[in-house]
Amino acid sequence: MFKILYLAFSAGALGLVLFNGPSGSLLTGSPDKGKVSLAKAKPATPGTTTASGMRPGGSSLAMWAFVAGASGGYQGGK
Amino acid sequence: MAAQAPPAPAKVFREPAQTESVQCPCCGGPITLTGFGGIEQVACPYCGSELSPEDSGALSVMKQLQRQQRTSALQLHTRGTLDGIECEVLGIVWRECNVDGATYPWQEFLLYNPYRGYRWLVYSMSDHHWSLGATLLGAPRVDGGSMQRAVEFKKTSYRHFQTVNAVVSYVEGEFPWQLHVGDNAIAHEYIAPPVAISIEESHMPDGSADVNFTSMCHIEGSDVWKAFGCEGSPPELSGVGSVRPNPYKARGKFVWAAFGALMAALIAVSVIYIGGRTNKVIYDKSGVEGIGVVSQEITIGEGDSDTTLEVEFSAIALSNQWAFVDIMLINIGAEEAMGFGLTAEEWHGNTGGESWREGKSKQSVTLGGVKSGKYLLQITPSTGGPKTPVKLKPGQKAPPPLKLKYNLRIKENIVLSRYIFIAFFVIITFPLINVMLGFFFEGKRWRNSDYSST
């Protein structure tokens, strides 16, 4: 049993390096995620984060990312 | 004239040996003699009287005794096949030793095969371990080089395990030597599991000493049960016998061989993994000043595969100040965003006459499972000073407004060494566990020796 477990776990660990290592989806932190919608620029409302950027087409669009407070902002300081 | 009949052929072979059944002259109990001519003493199994076989086949009384018959693990005259040799239990001896006030008894079964001679089967009554002994063909060499007493025989070193005063407490059956209840011998046990050498010194009344060398090897109780056709199962083992093989040592050969192979595989896999990572810098801005929001479109990854990102933020020349960037990566195609923050800070001061400094000027974050595609990178920096404003002394100038200057770099398809470390940890952990278990096993074995610390 010990031998089988050893080989199984080791093979799994090697497989993890080989197959999951490139994407790193299992052993990395996962940031907050959310859907965004593309919209014309509007006045900002509380609780939202506005991202202004140039679309490939050159038109100026505002993105309303509903991931408000995703990073939580800075909480430290002396 | 008729021809004379040929003479009858002379008998070429002697008559086959027959077992004899006689009566004990003391108690009248039936005694079967199967040891043939080599027997010096017979102990009546019923009354324990010590008898001497005569040439006539009768038994003469050497010493009349009256004791109860004991039930041994194997019965007298039980036959079995051990190591391919059929043998019979010819005699049974119970011996015991006293260590620290506790008595440790064991049973010894004299096994006999007319063609292969005598062997001993030893059963420890305290921990139910079995061992098989035979006369050592030679004498071991005393190894005086090591701290612990040891002997060497045929290039195998045997470490001293214990020395006890073994006293005979019970005898029944036939023996090729004189054996009496109360006989004692100094028994030295030297082990190299699963084998051992027992050296017994018996001191004779005339002052001479008799030294016997016996080689011992571990045997499983189940093998004894099978060999002698015993019913049920052998008693459960307790503790670790002196010559019981270390199962972790035996398994260690496989484990270390597998470790070598797995390490080679890990090296190969790591080379493939590291070789496939580009560590490509997809965004690198240095010395960005101010707290204005920065947006830029970037391309992450190639094709449909997910990738890894390393985002490193560092602030320049911070002084009693924090700096923070709120980073948002918006997948334009999928209309999904992920956000995270990175902080840098530097604090210094003087408290109680001692100056201090703390904080880190850089921070990085690693992201995995990031979908390839075009992203809008939005960086929102901010900065600030202490929560509690510094009180200005009279005449002291107010500090200049805080400025922020920072660097931000994003790399994709990076090497995550944690994957390799985890694989290495798994591969090394099992052999280490095996070594530890083997160590504990040996510790339990040596707890019963003369070298026990407890």
Side-chain angles (χ1 to χ4, degrees):
Chain A
M1 192 64 174
F2 185 90
K3 296 174 186 175
I4 293 169
L5 280 177
Y6 181 35
L7 294 179
F9 272 87
S10 300
L14 290 174
L16 200 67
V17 177
L18 207 54
F19 301 113
N20 191 260
S23 71
S25 56
L26 286 181
L27 298 180
T28 51
S30 181
D32 293 312
K33 292 180 179 176
K35 292 295 284 184
V36 295
S37 62
L38 302 176
K40 291 284 182 187
K42 291 182 197 174
T45 51
T48 63
T49 301
T50 305
S52 297
M54 292 296 290
R55 295 274 293 166
S59 60
S60 178
L61 290 174
M63 287 194 174
W64 297 87
F66 295 97
V67 288
S71 60
Y74 183 72
Q75 306 293 328
K78 284 283 176 180
Chain B
M1 194 173 170
Q4 278 189 321
K11 193 179 285 182
V12 178
F13 301 102
R14 65 174 184 170
E15 292 290 344
Q18 299 283 332
T19 58
E20 294 177 65
S21 190
V22 294
Q23 283 190 323
C24 172
C26 298
C27 68
I31 297 174
T32 304
L33 299 176
T34 55
F36 309 117
I39 298 304
E40 284 253 335
Q41 178 191 310
V42 177
C44 174
Y46 307 103
C47 66
S49 295
E50 294 168 6
L51 313 169
S52 176
E54 301 285 329
D55 289 340
S56 62
L59 293 171
S60 64
V61 180
M62 292 164 60
K63 189 177 182 183
Q64 187 169 356
L65 295 170
Q66 284 186 326
R67 58 111 174 97
Q68 290 288 318
Q69 187 179 15
R70 295 182 185 177
T71 304
S72 304
L74 297 175
Q75 298 306 305
L76 205 59
H77 302 304
T78 307
R79 287 192 175 193
T81 303
L82 272 175
D83 290 340
I85 301 170
E86 188 179 3
C87 49
E88 179 176 330
V89 178
L90 205 63
I92 300 171
V93 186
W94 287 34
R95 300 166 88 188
E96 61 189 34
C97 66
N98 194 295
V99 179
D100 297 333
T103 301
Y104 297 92
W106 68 90
Q107 299 170 11
E108 297 180 355
F109 301 91
L110 179 62
L111 306 180
Y112 177 62
N113 177 291
Y115 301 102
R116 308 296 287 266
Y118 298 100
R119 289 187 296 171
W120 286 104
L121 191 59
V122 181
Y123 169 62
S124 169
M125 297 166 71
S126 54
D127 55 16
H128 313 299
H129 287 275
W130 291 82
S131 52
L132 184 63
T135 302
L136 191 71
L137 302 176
R141 186 173 63 84
V142 176
D143 185 1
S146 58
M147 293 290 288
Q148 189 179 354
R149 287 161 59 191
V151 294
E152 189 181 308
F153 184 71
K154 290 187 176 176
K155 296 182 179 176
T156 301
S157 182
Y158 297 77
R159 294 167 67 194
H160 179 252
F161 188 76
Q162 63 180 358
T163 295
V164 296
N165 184 25
V167 181
V168 176
S169 62
Y170 177 84
V171 181
E172 73 174 70
E174 302 165 63
F175 297 92
W177 61 88
Q178 299 284 336
L179 191 65
H180 315 286
V181 172
D183 282 356
N184 69 334
I186 305 297
H188 309 273
E189 188 177 14
Y190 294 85
I191 65 166
V195 292
I197 289 177
S198 175
I199 302 174
E200 292 196 7
E201 301 171 42
S202 306
H203 294 275
M204 302 298 163
D206 61 0
S208 63
D210 185 19
V211 180
N212 289 301
F213 300 99
T214 309
S215 69
M216 308 293 297
C217 68
H218 171 82
I219 185 168
E220 294 291 340
S222 56
D223 291 339
V224 175
W225 246 238
K226 191 177 170 185
F228 290 93
C230 302
E231 291 181 355
S233 54
E236 285 281 317
L237 300 178
S238 67
V240 177
S242 61
V243 287
R244 188 179 175 193
N246 188 332
Y248 306 105
K249 197 174 177 183
R251 192 168 67 187
K253 290 176 185 171
F254 168 85
V255 170
W256 285 112
F259 171 76
L262 288 166
M263 280 306 295
L266 177 62
I267 291 169
V269 164
S270 299
V271 167
I272 294 169
Y273 170 63
I274 294 170
R277 307 284 71 75
T278 57
N279 286 309
K280 183 182 174 187
V281 176
I282 56 174
Y283 182 87
D284 191 7
K285 295 287 184 204
S286 301
V288 181
E289 291 188 42
I291 55 171
V293 176
V294 176
S295 293
Q296 183 177 332
E297 192 176 294
I298 58 173
T299 302
I300 296 175
E302 292 174 358
D304 296 330
S305 59
D306 292 353
T307 188
T308 49
L309 288 184
E310 184 187 66
V311 184
E312 186 180 289
F313 166 67
S314 60
I316 302 165
L318 291 178
S319 177
N320 273 334
Q321 183 183 358
W322 57 264
F324 178 77
V325 283
D326 193 356
I327 297 175
M328 196 153 301
L329 278 168
I330 301 153
N331 187 328
I332 296 169
E335 295 192 344
E336 276 182 353
M338 52 186 167
F340 51 92
L342 293 167
T343 309
E345 55 189 334
E346 195 279 339
W347 307 102
H348 63 268
N350 194 306
T351 306
E354 284 191 24
S355 60
W356 53 269
R357 182 178 294 275
E358 61 182 42
K360 290 180 180 177
S361 63
K362 65 167 67 175
Q363 188 187 5
S364 64
V365 66
T366 304
L367 307 175
V370 180
K371 288 185 172 62
S372 297
K374 288 194 179 299
Y375 281 77
L376 181 67
L377 170 67
Q378 178 180 286
I379 305 162
T380 309
S382 54
T383 187
K387 282 180 178 172
T388 309
V390 178
K391 289 181 181 176
L392 296 175
K393 294 174 182 174
Q396 189 178 3
K397 286 184 178 179
L402 295 171
K403 292 181 179 177
L404 177 61
K405 194 173 180 182
Y406 65 92
N407 308 323
L408 190 78
R409 187 169 62 178
I410 302 175
K411 287 195 292 185
E412 68 172 15
N413 202 9
I414 60 167
V415 174
L416 294 175
S417 55
R418 67 196 73 174
Y419 276 86
I420 297 170
F421 281 126
I422 284 179
F424 175 75
F425 179 77
V426 170
I427 290 170
I428 191 79
T429 296
F430 280 77
L432 291 180
I433 288 173
N434 196 58
V435 167
M436 282 175 58
L437 291 174
F439 183 77
F440 290 136
F441 186 91
E442 288 300 322
K444 284 175 75 177
R445 184 203 307 283
W446 286 91
R447 210 172 291 158
N448 299 323
S449 74
D450 289 350
Y451 304 92
S452 170
S453 56
T454 55

